[in-house]
Amino acid sequence: MAREELTRLTGNGNGNGECGKDDCPNVYRTPNGSFIVQGNVSEAFMPPGGEGLVEIPESVLREAVRALGW
């Protein structure tokens, strides 16, 4: 899936204070309604094969919730 197919919910200059570039922690919504999270790789524990862990600031999640109107 290409980034262009995703709806970016965060990091668009909506006041999250992080940044507005592609290299920031962000939350995206896919066309089928699931989410993709971009963040710093975390080594908190070893996830099952095919999965990964990322760490994002709470402010990014709050911005995503606001963007969705929840």
Side-chain angles (χ1 to χ4, degrees), residues 18 23-26 37-43 52-57:
E18 297 297 321
D23 62 349
C24 299
N26 281 298
V37 178
Q38 174 185 348
N40 296 321
V41 175
S42 174
E43 297 179 7
L53 303 176
V54 297
E55 183 175 348
I56 61 172

Side-chain angles (χ1 to χ4, degrees), residues 3-40:
R3 182 180 289 194
E4 294 78 24
E5 298 176 64
L6 306 174
T7 300
R8 187 173 177 171
L9 300 175
T10 60
N12 293 312
N14 296 329
N16 73 353
E18 297 297 321
C19 62
K21 307 283 185 215
D22 290 339
D23 62 349
C24 299
N26 281 298
V27 177
Y28 300 85
R29 192 162 199 182
T30 68
N32 68 4
S34 63
F35 298 93
I36 294 178
V37 178
Q38 174 185 348
N40 296 321

